[in-house]
Amino acid sequence: MKNVLIALCFLLPASSFAQVDSSFLLKIKQAETADFLKTDTLAVPEDALTQKIRQLRKEKNGIDIEMVLQIKIREEQERDTVHGKDYYDRLLTEITTGNTSKLLNNALINMYRQTFTEPEIDDLLRFYKTSAGKKMNSDYILLIIRSVKDAEGLMRLIQN
């Protein structure tokens, strides 16, 4: 979480940093200690908002949490000398098509439902269909990665 906070500091322009209010910082602090898993994985209502969120997640075809989990599992597999390939294959199957996949999908939809209103989801859908939205979709993760790398480099400089 420390790296996320450091990255946020560098991602926000200095002029807008003063606009980061205490409620935002409180939400970050609560997220560190909260157990959202119980409520986030509850079944989602099959309504128009859920359908729009699913559509938005398809429209945003860049890197997603499922892909990150797959990468992390493969990285762990490379370091693990105890568990065999079958163990990691079962993990990957579980997060892509198993019950965990359904729970993860519920969690993501519930987070969107708690964060965005239906008109905001409509706005996001329209945005991601524009050329700027498509570029944001494909390049945003690279900006984040570069920003985090730069922040890490700057932290090493100030520590020396």
Side-chain angles (χ1 to χ4, degrees):
M1 187 50 117
K2 183 174 135 183
N3 289 340
V4 172
L5 291 174
I6 291 168
L8 282 174
C9 290
F10 287 101
L11 291 175
L12 297 172
S15 62
S16 70
F17 189 73
Q19 296 175 3
V20 176
D21 61 17
S22 58
S23 65
F24 175 74
L25 296 175
L26 181 62
K27 286 177 186 176
I28 291 174
K29 185 77 168 162
Q30 289 170 337
E32 288 177 358
T33 58
D35 182 10
F36 294 116
L37 191 58
K38 291 176 188 171
T39 57
D40 284 350
T41 55
L42 292 174
V44 296
E46 290 301 327
D47 60 6
L49 179 56
T50 295
Q51 294 308 315
K52 288 178 182 184
I53 291 168
R54 285 187 177 124
Q55 183 182 354
L56 176 62
R57 292 195 65 229
K58 284 180 187 172
E59 194 69 39
K60 287 183 73 230
N61 59 5
I63 193 165
D64 58 16
I65 189 65
E66 291 91 346
M67 188 182 302
V68 170
L69 288 173
Q70 290 176 29
I71 291 166
K72 289 295 190 185
I73 287 172
R74 289 296 181 204
E75 286 175 353
E76 183 62 28
Q77 181 180 6
E78 291 174 8
R79 292 190 296 267
D80 189 351
T81 59
V82 176
H83 299 96
K85 181 181 181 312
D86 287 350
Y87 172 81
Y88 286 97
D89 288 345
R90 283 193 311 271
L91 277 177
L92 284 169
T93 299
E94 182 60 26
I95 67 159
T96 55
T97 59
N99 191 49
T100 303
S101 170
K102 293 173 191 155
L103 295 173
L104 180 59
N105 195 33
N106 286 351
L108 293 168
I109 290 171
N110 282 321
M111 284 187 269
Y112 274 78
R113 291 178 71 91
Q114 293 164 10
T115 305
F116 300 104
T117 64
E118 191 168 348
E120 289 170 332
I121 295 291
D122 291 337
D123 290 346
L124 288 167
L125 279 166
R126 276 191 297 280
F127 170 71
Y128 280 109
K129 290 178 181 182
T130 67
S131 60
K134 289 175 183 173
K135 184 168 184 163
M136 177 67 124
N137 197 15
S138 66
D139 294 350
Y140 185 70
I141 191 65
L142 299 174
L143 294 172
I144 294 294
I145 291 168
R146 284 182 55 191
S147 299
V148 169
K149 292 282 185 195
D150 287 351
E152 289 171 352
L154 289 169
M155 290 304 294
R156 281 192 297 275
L157 285 174
I158 63 172
Q159 290 173 347
N160 293 329

